């Protein structure tokens, strides 16, 4: 089992920045990829970014490319999402996820473990 705990959400004005953290515990050695997803009210959950734990390879949704950066600190079993130039449309609950299998890490069904989510609100 892997446990994930997100932190770092909050309220920020448009154009501002936030950094989300996701601390993993348990069988962290089994993690292949970690991702961030978000869900806004009335909308489906959507992919934001992912990182391959061993290689550091990253992938981003088009809507956040150039503004968000995903990174990892394997020694701390923590993944980060640096969010810059935030827009009101970035407002959502952000979820951290971990997958132990190789596959299409853009697809939320690839992930085996999920955090509880952290609210990000961007005011205009």
């Amino acid at each position: 089992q892997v446990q994930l705990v997100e932190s770092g959400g909050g309220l920020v004005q448009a154009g501002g920045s936030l950094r989300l953290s996701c601390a993993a515990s348990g069988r962290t050695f089994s993690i292949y990829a970690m991702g961030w997803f978000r869900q806004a009210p009335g909308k489906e959950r959507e992919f934001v970014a992912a990182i391959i734990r061993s290689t550091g390879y990253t992938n981003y949704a088009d809507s956040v490319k150039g503004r968000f950066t995903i990174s990892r600190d394997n020694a701390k079993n923590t993944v980060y999402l640096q969010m810059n130039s935030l827009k009101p449309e970035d407002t959502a609950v952000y979820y951290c996820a971990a997958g132990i299998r190789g596959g299409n890490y853009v697809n939320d069904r690839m992930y085996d473990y999920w955090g509880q989510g952290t609210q990000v609100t961007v005011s205009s």
Side-chain angles (χ1 to χ4, degrees):
Q1 294 289 327
V2 174
Q3 295 78 41
L4 303 173
V5 178
E6 303 104 330
S7 60
L11 173 65
V12 64
Q13 288 189 331
S17 298
L18 282 175
R19 189 177 81 156
L20 305 183
S21 299
C22 174
S25 60
R27 298 173 61 90
T28 56
F29 62 88
S30 65
I31 296 173
Y32 170 76
M34 294 191 72
W36 287 96
F37 289 76
R38 66 186 182 186
Q39 187 167 21
K43 294 188 177 182
E44 293 187 353
R45 184 165 59 190
E46 64 174 359
F47 169 76
V48 175
I51 188 166
I52 304 302
R53 190 170 182 269
S54 59
T55 65
Y57 176 81
T58 59
N59 193 24
Y60 297 92
D62 288 343
S63 59
V64 306
K65 278 181 182 176
R67 300 188 299 122
F68 291 12
T69 302
I70 188 171
S71 61
R72 93 281 195 218
D73 184 334
N74 288 343
K76 295 182 178 180
N77 291 315
T78 300
V79 170
Y80 305 97
L81 186 68
Q82 178 67 43
M83 306 185 294
N84 298 329
S85 302
L86 282 161
K87 305 175 182 179
E89 51 264 44
D90 294 318
T91 295
V93 177
Y94 283 70
Y95 297 92
C96 173
I100 61 175
R101 301 157 287 159
N104 179 6
Y105 38 77
V106 174
N107 189 331
D108 60 1
R109 286 177 290 182
M110 178 267 180
Y111 294 88
D112 304 283
Y113 304 100
W114 292 84
Q116 81 286 355
T118 185
Q119 176 71 46
V120 171
T121 303
V122 184
S123 63
S124 57

